[in-house]
Amino acid sequence: MAELLSGIRVLDLTNVLAGPYCAYQLALLGADVIKVETPAGGDLARQLGASAELNKAGMGASFLAQNAGKRSVVLDLKKEADREKFLDLVASADALVENFRPGVMNRLGLGYEKLKEIRPGLVYCAISGFGQTGPMRDNPAYDQIIQGLSGIMSITGTPETAPLRVGYPVADTLGGLVGAFAVAAALVRQKTSGEGTFLDVSMLECTLSALGWPVSNYLSAGVDPRPMGNENMTAAPSGTFRTADGLLNIAANKQEQFVTLCNLVGRPELATDERFAERETRKRHRTELKLLIEEALATTPAAVWEEKFNRAGVPAGRVLTIPQVLDEQQVRERSVTASFSGVAGRDEPLTVVRGGFLVDGVAPLPKSPPPVLGEHMEDVFSGLPPRPKVKASA
């Protein structure tokens, strides 16, 4: 079974993307994730996505993407009675994830110091744009803001088009992925020592960490990274090439791969041309080399070249659209998606994407569709044990 977190209860107080994606990874691994939402509409992502009808039904495509396998309850944490119910939930939980601005939970009287009185071993994960400290801690942060501040946009695109936003919310997603990794690690300590943890996850820092190569080129080699479009700064020919019917990515990063490539496209002389004979000279003459290779590729479709190159050990892959990749046999065979029928707001089945790994050969798939707002109130609260009494401090 793929349920590595079976028996773990996670409270998901998150909204929109980074936090919900974090909790979704934990749900995929078998955790009982209880999504605590506001009665007035719940997670904002319920209203976001390409379908106006789904948005109106409170089941927006953005919400559907990362909330399968969770249970939903509604609590107004500004009300005393609901705060008490929330503390009952906390007493039963192993971890909590929130992505409010720093200080919001403290102002509600529900910060980490308060909650660990109720549940001393609690793993508390706070995901925010900039972290809990520093001069930017109180700034609102959306993915695009972090992309710009982190340097990602400065190296995305070509010299003519940069800076460009990456085509999906990469900074939000990285924040959620790092949060899930940190929660899983803290749960190991909790189960071995009983000790709780406060995790301060900064989307800006997660993004900078993921920018390891370009950041290192600046810190270690003094090179200010620049946008290169679809080219690879470390090697040539390594990038996107035109074929008879579409684009093909080729990564002939090793000398032997380059020689093989030249032979496969019928241009063996390129391997001994003094402009291209060595890695550094190829990088300096990458534009000329690209044009020569594209001339050779123009006779044959991309899919044929892809199969031919890969069979010979030269990494290659077509440039696909989202519908095309979802229809690939590789994706279908490994159960990358899961489908549910009878989802609120939809007449047809809902398909969602799982995490990017198998566990002992088994795909961790969500066990239930994304929940309707407040769907599990009775289910969750009817089964709660009495909250332990907190000793008064001296």
Side-chain angles (χ1 to χ4, degrees):
M1 295 293 289
E3 297 187 358
L4 299 180
L5 295 179
S6 177
I8 297 295
R9 172 167 287 183
V10 178
L11 304 186
D12 175 3
L13 278 70
T14 66
N15 203 40
V16 183
L17 208 169
Y21 187 74
C22 168
Y24 182 48
Q25 305 310 301
L26 302 174
L28 288 172
L29 287 171
D32 174 21
V33 177
I34 299 174
K35 191 168 181 68
V36 181
E37 303 186 71
T38 63
D43 187 338
L44 177 61
R46 290 183 178 275
Q47 304 167 44
L48 304 178
S51 168
E53 294 176 357
L54 286 174
N55 295 344
K56 186 176 180 180
M59 297 294 280
S62 298
F63 177 81
L64 297 176
Q66 56 208 3
N67 286 286
K70 302 179 184 180
R71 298 192 285 170
S72 172
V73 301
V74 290
L75 294 174
D76 184 347
L77 298 181
K78 295 180 180 178
K79 295 182 177 179
E80 180 63 27
D82 279 7
R83 282 200 299 274
E84 289 299 312
K85 293 180 73 173
F86 175 69
L87 291 176
D88 290 339
L89 262 184
V90 170
S92 74
D94 298 286
L96 178 150
V97 183
E98 54 100 336
N99 62 346
F100 300 117
R101 287 199 214 176
V104 168
M105 289 291 280
N106 284 329
R107 288 195 292 275
L108 289 168
L110 299 172
Y112 175 61
E113 294 301 321
K114 170 66 175 179
L115 298 188
K116 73 177 184 179
E117 294 178 2
I118 306 295
R119 175 68 169 95
L122 184 69
V123 173
Y124 185 113
C125 178
I127 303 174
S128 63
F130 307 100
Q132 303 296 303
T133 60
M136 300 177 76
R137 69 185 291 271
D138 293 322
N139 288 7
Y142 287 91
D143 177 84
Q144 182 138 357
I145 305 302
I146 302 298
Q147 285 202 34
L149 288 168
S150 68
I152 277 187
M153 290 176 64
S154 74
I155 58 173
T156 302
T158 66
E160 295 75 30
T161 62
L164 281 179
R165 173 186 173 273
V166 175
Y168 79 105
V170 62
D172 262 322
T173 304
L174 284 168
L177 202 57
V178 171
F181 161 74
V183 168
L187 285 169
V188 173
R189 186 171 76 171
Q190 180 197 78
K191 297 309 173 189
T192 56
S193 70
E195 191 174 352
T197 309
F198 182 87
L199 300 168
D200 176 1
V201 178
S202 157
M203 285 167 53
L204 178 62
E205 291 161 25
C206 293
T207 308
L208 277 171
S209 176
L211 282 165
W213 278 20
V215 169
S216 183
N217 277 319
Y218 174 69
L219 294 176
S220 302
V223 175
D224 185 1
R226 300 295 180 185
M228 295 183 65
N230 293 323
E231 293 295 309
N232 177 358
M233 69 170 294
T234 68
S238 187
T240 305
F241 298 80
R242 289 190 295 269
T243 70
D245 68 344
L247 296 175
L248 182 72
N249 279 319
I250 302 171
N253 296 352
K254 299 178 181 179
Q255 183 67 25
E256 61 268 28
Q257 292 170 341
F258 173 60
V259 173
T260 301
L261 173 68
C262 293
N263 291 328
L264 290 174
V265 301
R267 298 298 301 272
E269 73 279 4
L270 296 179
T272 56
D273 187 311
E274 64 179 10
R275 295 172 298 172
F276 314 132
E278 298 178 355
R279 172 186 290 269
E280 293 304 319
T281 60
R282 286 197 295 278
K283 287 163 60 177
R284 288 197 295 271
H285 296 280
R286 66 169 65 242
T287 301
E288 304 101 292
L289 180 57
K290 182 183 179 76
L291 291 173
L292 291 168
I293 291 175
E294 286 187 332
E295 286 178 6
L297 296 175
T299 61
T300 306
V304 176
W305 285 123
E306 177 186 77
E307 195 277 332
K308 189 174 185 178
F309 291 155
N310 283 316
R311 185 162 18 98
V314 178
R318 289 157 293 150
V319 177
L320 302 178
T321 64
I322 299 297
Q324 287 172 333
V325 69
L326 289 174
D327 195 44
E328 280 288 301
Q329 182 179 348
Q330 176 71 24
V331 171
R332 296 197 310 271
E333 187 174 303
R334 284 177 59 88
S335 302
V336 174
T337 60
S339 295
F340 300 96
S341 299
V343 177
R346 294 180 61 87
D347 296 325
E348 63 277 2
L350 168 71
T351 300
V352 298
V353 179
R354 63 164 173 83
F357 55 90
L358 302 183
V359 178
D360 295 330
V362 178
L365 299 175
K367 293 179 287 188
S368 58
V372 172
L373 181 63
E375 179 179 346
H376 300 98
M377 285 292 287
E378 182 177 353
D379 183 32
V380 169
F381 285 104
S382 64
L384 286 182
R387 190 200 318 168
K389 292 184 178 181
V390 178
K391 293 181 180 180
S393 55

